[in-house]
């Protein structure tokens, strides 16, 4: 087990080295290409297939920028800027940000927030990043007309410890049993265009908060992810 841990640390150190190089060699010219394509899209007044080709180019360049950002997030040390905050506010902000995607796919997104949930000490931006990853995965998983539930509540574990919980459930196909063991491993994905970095970053964010990520899933019954943070004394 120690040897496996050392190998994993060595692999992540190598990923960090590669990511640092990529940040200078690829990120800046990629951003320039994306910006120029967006300007051309506004000025050329293209129609039909030519317009479609340009839109696809802009979309794919943006996707590459997002992949590079996830890789850099995974490689660089994770720092937190914590404050007293409410998980409900994080949930509501994320739902608003993704309203266009859920509306386009006709997904019903339900929020359930427990009354009187105490504030937590956390980094609001990092928690939003973690929740957005979970919500985007859920949106991709469900069919058109599907349902996603987001909630906040107080939860108690088997040891009697109390946690503030922020959760997401979808009614998609669930997680294949063979993927569960390595679900949070970097680059583990079953998506045709996935990077496998989103859930890995979610786990890092929660560990940095001394929190936890819980997963429940049964084939055909959707997936549930719960982010748990220690309650403030």
């Amino acid at each position: 087990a120690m040897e496996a841990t050392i190998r994993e640390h060595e692999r992540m150190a190598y990923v960090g080295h590669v990511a640092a190089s990529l940040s200078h060699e690829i990120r800046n010219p990629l951003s320039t290409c994306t910006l120029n394509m967006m300007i051309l899209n506004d000025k050329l007044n293209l129609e039909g297939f030519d317009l479609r080709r340009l839109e696809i180019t802009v979309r794919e360049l943006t996707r590459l920028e997002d992949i590079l950002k996830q890789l850099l997030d995974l490689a660089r040390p994770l720092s937190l800027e914590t404050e007293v905050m409410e998980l409900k506010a994080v949930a509501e902000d994320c739902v608003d940000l993704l309203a266009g995607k859920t509306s386009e796919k006709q997904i019903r997104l339900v929020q359930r927030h427990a009354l009187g949930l105490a504030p937590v000490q956390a980094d609001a931006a990092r928690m939003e990043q973690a929740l957005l990853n979970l919500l985007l995965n859920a949106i991709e998983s469900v069919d058109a007309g599907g349902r996603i539930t987001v909630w906040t509540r107080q939860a108690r574990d088997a040891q009697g410890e109390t946690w503030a919980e922020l959760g997401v459930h979808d009614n998609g196909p669930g997680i294949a049993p063979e993927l569960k063991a390595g679900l949070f491993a970097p680059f583990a994905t079953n998506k045709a265009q996935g990077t496998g970095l989103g859930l890995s970053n979610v786990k890092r964010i929660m560990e940095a908060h001394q929190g936890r990520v819980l997963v429940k899933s049964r084939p055909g019954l959707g997936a549930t992810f719960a982010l748990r943070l220690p309650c403030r004394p």
Side-chain angles (χ1 to χ4, degrees), residues 88-104:
K88 177 183 176 182
V90 172
E92 292 174 338
D93 287 346
C94 290
V95 169
D96 289 342
L97 284 171
L98 297 178
K101 288 183 177 293
T102 54
S103 177
E104 180 182 356

Side-chain angles (χ1 to χ4, degrees), residues 91-154:
E92 292 174 338
D93 287 346
C94 290
V95 169
D96 289 342
L97 284 171
L98 297 178
K101 288 183 177 293
T102 54
S103 177
E104 180 182 356
K105 204 170 176 180
Q106 297 181 333
I107 294 171
R108 184 184 176 197
L109 206 157
V110 179
Q111 296 190 66
R112 294 177 178 169
H113 301 296
L115 297 176
L117 182 63
V120 295
Q121 186 79 27
D123 185 318
R126 292 294 186 181
M127 290 304 300
E128 184 173 296
Q129 180 186 354
L131 182 57
L132 283 173
N133 269 305
L134 297 183
L135 285 173
L136 286 169
N137 285 347
I139 290 170
E140 290 182 18
S141 298
V142 302
D143 294 328
R147 177 189 173 104
I148 297 172
T149 304
V150 180
W151 70 87
T152 56
R153 66 178 183 179
Q154 188 176 88

Side-chain angles (χ1 to χ4, degrees), residues 180-194:
K180 286 184 178 180
L183 195 61
F184 295 99
F187 312 111
T189 181
N190 64 340
K191 301 176 186 176
Q193 295 186 333

Side-chain angles (χ1 to χ4, degrees), residues 151-167:
W151 70 87
T152 56
R153 66 178 183 179
Q154 188 176 88
R156 191 179 298 273
D157 62 20
Q159 289 72 42
E161 292 187 68
T162 302
W163 304 82
E165 183 177 278
L166 173 59

